[in-house]
Amino acid sequence: MFSSLISALVLPVVLAAATPLIWDGRAPFNLTDADLDSSTGPFLTVVKGSGNATHYSSLLGHSELPTPLWNDDLLDLLPSEQVISITIDNSSIFVPGSGGPQFGFRRTEFIAAVNGDHDDLNPLIENGTTVFHFSIKLDERRPLNYTHEYQIVFIEPNDGTHVFEVQLGSPFTDPTGPIPTPDAHWFKVRDHALNVLFETPFTPDTWHNFAVQIDWVNRTLAVLYSKDGSLLQAVTELEPNLSTSLGPDGQGDFHFGVLKLPLVNPADSPANQSDVVHFGIQEGTTEGLLYSGVFVEEIARGISAGRQVFIHPITE
Ligand SMILES: *[C@@H]1O[C@H](CO)[C@@H](O)[C@H](O)[C@H]1NC(C)=O
Ligand SMILES: *[C@@H]1O[C@H](CO)[C@@H](O)[C@H](O)[C@H]1NC(C)=O
Ligand SMILES: *[C@@H]1O[C@H](CO)[C@@H](O)[C@H](O)[C@H]1NC(C)=O
Ligand SMILES: *[C@@H]1O[C@H](CO)[C@@H](O)[C@H](O)[C@H]1NC(C)=O
Ligand SMILES: *[C@@H]1O[C@H](CO)[C@@H](O)[C@H](O)[C@H]1NC(C)=O
Ligand SMILES: *[C@@H]1O[C@H](CO)[C@@H](O)[C@H](O)[C@H]1NC(C)=O
Ligand SMILES: *[C@@H]1O[C@H](CO)[C@@H](O)[C@H](O)[C@H]1NC(C)=O
Ligand SMILES: CC(=O)N[C@H]1CO[C@H](CO)[C@@H](O)[C@@H]1O
């Protein structure tokens, strides 16, 4: 189905035009902390607590190697992007435009943008069929707490639903069930209706590479995955995702970062216990994830699988 790999020698030229990059979030080495604080460049950094963006996120320069999938020059020693560290702490209480401070959550997320403008970018990256790429690694020094649920990558239309999402940890339940759940340490890629399409263990010392193919017209999803420098491979078939809205109502911001849900606080009223956004238990710990390889491409004639190799879109 996706086996027609064409020679890496000819492909960069052939498919550079056939698989256009629409938005590139692979942080170049000239991207600075000041750019993060001012949302200059590819990220809108407003989803965070009251500190500056660089209180919660940083560009790791040459101190950490990004995924080798897109950085394969000279034995990976000269990468073309910096790793991005995204963290939360007890001050990571986001105050959105309405609805009041989100005391239930702790969250820091980057949103795909061009110098702060996401509204004009979203219709470009969410049109036709597009592929959302991202690679994730454990931050050994800032472990997550797997008794909690984390939503770490998602596209969120205005209705607050997620076209797809990547989830870690123990799903939030009210009342709290047995935690941690058996697959708490597994990545779960979920569709709009929260069905798990793919899951895989979040092993340490490994870049976990994902790509999600989204057909915005026929409303389907397909997932590709690999580790470190291995080429991406399809890990699902083409899956219907028909509960999403068509057109602008179904489009939204592309987020990646750390969004930690609370546990139910038995001291709260029943109504407040179910208000996961505003109530619940948080330990206030500093936790984080590492990201690289974040970009969005069209699939005019192929999906980037890594190391200059392109594969066929998933069609069945
Ligand atoms: C980084 O350099 C590239 C060209 O090499 C330029 O297009 C881009 O705007 C620069 N980015 C920043 C944030 O300065
Ligand atoms: C945020 O950064 C600005 C400019 O660097 C600095 O003046 C300010 O003190 C910082 N605020 C916080 C809360 O760290
Ligand atoms: C979306 O795709 C259609 C068909 O390819 C094209 O006509 C239209 O211009 C695209 N819209 C945007 C906002 O890119
Ligand atoms: C993880 O969360 C649970 C539930 O709130 C808490 O009991 C535990 O102490 C937390 N672990 C760490 C390391 O913070
Ligand atoms: C989308 O659906 C139409 C109608 O069922 C079908 O003809 C077309 O092949 C589909 N396109 C893709 C890319 O699956
Ligand atoms: C529930 O939340 C409201 C504020 O939204 C607060 O006034 C009320 O005291 C809370 N009830 C309990 C039992 O915590
Ligand atoms: C975390 O922040 C909340 C809300 O501001 C506060 O009630 C709580 O005491 C803080 N926890 C820690 C461990 O600092
Ligand atoms: C694979 C899968 O379960 N897809 C679901 C996508 O959403 C539609 C509408 O909610 C469901 O009917 C599908 O089962």
Side-chain angles (χ1 to χ4, degrees), residues 137-140 185 201-208 227-228:
K137 193 177 179 189
L138 272 183
D139 184 343
E140 312 273 356
H185 288 75
F202 192 3
T203 50
D205 303 318
T206 306
W207 279 106
H208 297 267
K227 290 180 185 174
D228 293 322

Side-chain angles (χ1 to χ4, degrees), residues 45-67:
T45 58
V46 296
V47 180
K48 59 175 180 58
S50 56
N52 285 325
T54 48
H55 175 75
Y56 305 105
S57 57
S58 52
L59 300 164
L60 300 188
H62 288 281
S63 67
E64 182 89 28
L65 287 171
T67 179

Side-chain angles (χ1 to χ4, degrees), residues 170-191:
S170 305
F172 174 86
T173 58
D174 177 18
T176 303
I179 50 172
T181 54
D183 60 358
H185 288 75
W186 289 48
F187 293 104
K188 273 85 72 179
V189 182
R190 308 205 297 178
D191 69 6

Side-chain angles (χ1 to χ4, degrees), residues 40-217:
T40 302
F43 311 116
L44 178 66
T45 58
V46 296
V47 180
K48 59 175 180 58
S50 56
N52 285 325
T54 48
H55 175 75
Y56 305 105
S57 57
S58 52
L59 300 164
L60 300 188
H62 288 281
S63 67
E64 182 89 28
L65 287 171
T67 179
L69 204 54
W70 320 110
N71 295 280
D72 59 348
D73 292 338
L74 292 180
L75 303 172
D76 303 334
L77 292 177
L78 282 180
S80 54
E81 63 171 318
Q82 309 183 61
V83 174
I84 303 165
S85 156
I86 299 186
T87 66
I88 53 168
D89 65 20
N90 199 41
S91 73
S92 297
I93 295 165
F94 177 52
V95 185
S98 61
Q102 297 182 338
F103 288 116
F105 294 156
R106 296 294 180 273
R107 63 189 300 192
T108 308
E109 290 139 46
F110 282 17
I111 290 173
V114 177
N115 295 327
D117 181 357
H118 51 139
D119 291 331
D120 289 316
L121 177 66
N122 292 347
L124 303 177
I125 61 177
E126 299 171 11
N127 186 40
T129 300
T130 52
V131 183
F132 291 76
H133 289 265
F134 43 92
S135 298
I136 307 168
K137 193 177 179 189
L138 272 183
D139 184 343
E140 312 273 356
R141 292 175 301 158
R142 302 180 188 86
L144 306 184
N145 184 334
Y146 291 89
T147 62
H148 287 254
E149 173 174 345
Y150 297 83
Q151 295 171 1
I152 61 171
V153 183
F154 50 89
I155 295 174
E156 185 169 292
N158 283 337
D159 64 6
T161 61
H162 293 166
V163 175
F164 80 89
E165 71 183 17
V166 181
Q167 187 212 54
L168 280 169
S170 305
F172 174 86
T173 58
D174 177 18
T176 303
I179 50 172
T181 54
D183 60 358
H185 288 75
W186 289 48
F187 293 104
K188 273 85 72 179
V189 182
R190 308 205 297 178
D191 69 6
H192 184 261
L194 308 182
N195 302 294
V196 175
L197 300 179
F198 172 66
E199 57 181 342
T200 193
F202 192 3
T203 50
D205 303 318
T206 306
W207 279 106
H208 297 267
N209 309 307
F210 294 86
V212 179
Q213 173 190 303
I214 305 182
D215 182 332
W216 296 91
V217 179

Side-chain angles (χ1 to χ4, degrees), residues 267-269 272 279:
D268 287 336
S269 66
N272 290 355
F279 293 91

Side-chain angles (χ1 to χ4, degrees), residues 28-32 35 40-42 115:
F29 281 92
N30 61 354
L31 194 70
T32 64
D35 294 331
T40 302
N115 295 327

